[in-house]
Amino acid sequence: MAAARFGGPPARRRALPAAVAALLLWLLGAPGPAGAEEVFTSQAAAANATASTWIPAPSNPAAVCIVDTGVDPNPDTTNVIARLAVDGGDPGDVDTIGHHGTLMAMIASAPYNGWGMVGAAPSVKVVSVRAKRPGESGFYFSDVLKAVQLCSKARLAFNIKVISLSLGGRGTLDVATETLLEDAIDSARSAAMNVVAAAGNHPGPADWPASYAPVLAVAASDKTGSRCTFSASGPQVDLFAPGCPQDVALPDGRAAWASGTSESTAFVAAALGQLRGLRPELGVEQVEDWFRTAAAPGAEGLVVDVDAALRAAGVGVPSADGSGPSLTPSSVQQAPTVSPSAPGSSQIDAAPAVRINGVTAPSSGNQNGSEDPRNRAAPLPRPVVRKRHLRHGMLQLTFVNRPAKAWTRIQSYSRHGRGAFPTADPPRLIKSDRTRTHVSGTMSQMSIMYVDPSAKRSASPVLVIRP
């Protein structure tokens, strides 16, 4: 009987637009596929997940079931252990412009492999369920229902512990449809699976199904923990997570930035899955409680703190075997932040590329090709180093463009202990144009940015130096 209710003509099915599929991905001009990967992403730093990124996989790692547009194979989706489709067809990504499902899988668990990007939890596996049909502009609730049910059916075969829904809608549902979807979510939780959903890319209350109480609703925050201007908020939101922007990569490995609650959701889902794999005896509510308890208070809600949640749950951050990140000399130039397009859009703008400040990017739909200035304050300029001198373990840096009254924030990442992957050292604040920093043989990366102590100007893009 239930299946028959969703087998009617397409005109009777209500479309569920992707919560964040309208992202604009801004490309970086310099790095190619081999040099795009960043060891420590901005989202990992903002969520205090730079150490947990390198936790090795347990003997039976947990999997996250990502319900989205499908996943295409590339070096950063090697942790995808199964690809399914609600219509039984090709499980590949049907979002041919934005590759939304592929991006979500990469954000969740892309491995450190010198290609593309590093995911939130490379120790987590992914099961992809394509819920979007080819040629459709959005998702149908009936297909989302089937996808959630597929995740539940596959849970034992793939050790699925989390269902991730980077989608949502604000339209009203008929009672029968809403009840069936809620029942499917309740059944998934009863089967020991967390259900995480995007709050939505619009100010105001969260989208459905994020607004359904048993679902962990995730909204987007910036690197300071403040709500992204496009993000939903309110009492229905459980956690804020980095989402404006995230350091990501395109399916061909090129570096990019993306903003939206979809990205925030994939990040949190992976972090939950990591804890579920490391502490398999914990239940659904216990894991969510650890994340809420360990979260940092923000202006509009709780901001996720991954390492604090893991430690609170009794998980250490052990050293991983391996040689650690590469120490190849390089620097990373970050692109401007981009806010999502109008709510309800389901694809990246396909307009011809435009040139903005030397950065090639898909057109945002504005006449000048730039973002709405109301969405973010103008940042301080990216640091420029005129002189870099290393002698006897002391690195001397001279900055030529430090704005008046701005401070320079320097944070190093070093390997502590034999074979350990890097962790963040305490940051330093410098008030002059010159600094001398001790560099040990274990340092793998130094991140430098300008900050305004008065908070009137937003922090600069990050300059990354690797010895």
Side-chain angles (χ1 to χ4, degrees):
M1 294 295 293
R5 296 181 185 179
F6 290 92
R12 298 185 60 185
R13 297 186 294 177
R14 180 176 294 278
L16 180 65
V20 208
L23 303 178
L24 301 180
L25 303 182
W26 289 65
L27 309 185
L28 302 183
E37 186 174 56
E38 291 193 46
V39 176
F40 302 100
T41 61
S42 60
Q43 56 267 28
N48 191 23
T50 55
S52 62
T53 300
W54 309 107
I55 294 178
S59 58
N60 187 25
V64 176
C65 192
I66 295 181
V67 175
D68 214 282
T69 62
V71 168
D72 289 334
N74 68 46
D76 272 358
T77 60
T78 55
N79 282 329
V80 178
I81 56 176
R83 297 188 303 152
L84 311 173
V86 295
D87 58 6
D90 187 338
D93 200 332
V94 296
D95 181 11
T96 57
I97 299 177
H99 306 279
H100 192 262
T102 303
L103 178 61
M104 296 306 107
M106 293 166 67
I107 288 171
S109 69
Y112 175 71
N113 58 3
W115 191 96
M117 64 175 294
V118 178
S123 65
V124 168
K125 303 302 180 183
V126 170
V127 174
S128 168
V129 177
R130 177 172 62 75
K132 185 174 182 286
R133 294 177 182 263
E136 297 287 354
S137 60
F139 298 85
Y140 290 112
F141 284 113
S142 57
D143 288 333
V144 174
L145 170 64
K146 294 176 183 177
V148 172
Q149 292 171 337
L150 270 177
C151 293
S152 296
K153 291 178 181 178
R155 73 186 188 280
L156 296 179
F158 301 110
N159 197 30
I160 296 172
K161 296 297 184 182
V162 182
I163 298 175
S164 181
L165 305 171
S166 288
L167 47 83
R170 287 185 286 174
T172 57
L173 292 175
D174 63 271
V175 175
T177 302
E178 185 170 344
T179 299
L180 286 171
L181 279 163
E182 290 177 352
D183 288 347
I185 291 169
D186 292 342
S187 296
R189 286 179 62 87
S190 297
M193 290 184 290
N194 299 87
V195 181
V196 188
N201 286 347
H202 53 79
D207 284 344
W208 199 91
S211 59
Y212 181 46
V215 173
L216 191 74
V218 180
S221 57
D222 62 19
K223 60 187 174 184
T224 70
S226 300
R227 180 182 67 86
C228 300
T229 55
F230 58 78
S231 176
S233 59
Q236 296 170 321
V237 171
D238 294 286
L239 289 173
F240 283 84
C244 59
Q246 285 195 14
D247 296 319
V248 300
L250 300 183
D252 62 4
R254 288 177 295 165
W257 276 11
S259 297
T261 55
S262 271
E263 281 74 4
S264 305
T265 299
F267 188 92
V268 170
L272 283 172
Q274 184 177 50
L275 181 52
R276 294 295 305 275
L278 295 169
R279 292 287 306 276
E281 75 279 8
L282 296 180
V284 170
E285 294 184 0
Q286 288 176 297
V287 172
E288 292 176 359
D289 285 344
W290 283 123
F291 270 81
R292 292 190 185 96
T293 301
E300 297 193 44
L302 297 175
V303 181
V304 69
D305 186 321
V306 175
D307 282 1
L310 295 178
R311 296 181 192 278
V315 175
V317 183
S319 299
D321 294 330
S323 60
S326 170
L327 305 183
T328 304
S330 63
S331 63
V332 178
Q333 179 178 356
Q334 299 192 9
T337 306
V338 181
S339 62
S341 301
S345 176
S346 62
Q347 293 184 341
I348 293 175
D349 192 335
V354 295
R355 295 288 295 180
I356 305 172
N357 297 327
V359 178
T360 302
S363 171
S364 66
N366 297 333
Q367 291 298 318
N368 60 3
S370 62
E371 65 170 306
D372 188 337
R374 295 171 298 179
N375 288 341
R376 66 190 285 266
L380 293 165
R382 177 176 177 268
V384 174
V385 177
R386 182 183 64 188
K387 183 179 181 181
R388 181 171 62 181
H389 181 67
L390 178 63
R391 185 177 183 183
H392 301 309
M394 296 299 297
L395 177 65
Q396 179 175 313
L397 301 174
T398 302
F399 302 98
V400 298
N401 66 333
R402 184 177 65 89
K405 299 182 179 180
W407 294 358
T408 304
R409 182 183 186 274
I410 298 177
Q411 185 163 33
S412 299
Y413 297 86
S414 304
R415 295 194 302 276
H416 300 284
R418 185 176 180 181
F421 279 106
T423 57
D425 297 330
R428 299 173 56 225
L429 290 175
I430 309 299
K431 303 178 183 179
S432 68
D433 293 336
R434 291 185 179 183
T435 181
R436 296 182 69 194
T437 303
H438 177 70
V439 177
S440 69
T442 63
M443 193 192 83
S444 62
Q445 178 170 301
M446 180 181 291
S447 297
I448 303 170
M449 70 171 69
Y450 293 140
V451 295
D452 186 350
S454 69
K456 293 181 180 179
R457 296 168 293 178
S458 57
S460 73
V462 179
L463 169 67
V464 178
I465 296 177
R466 299 189 182 109

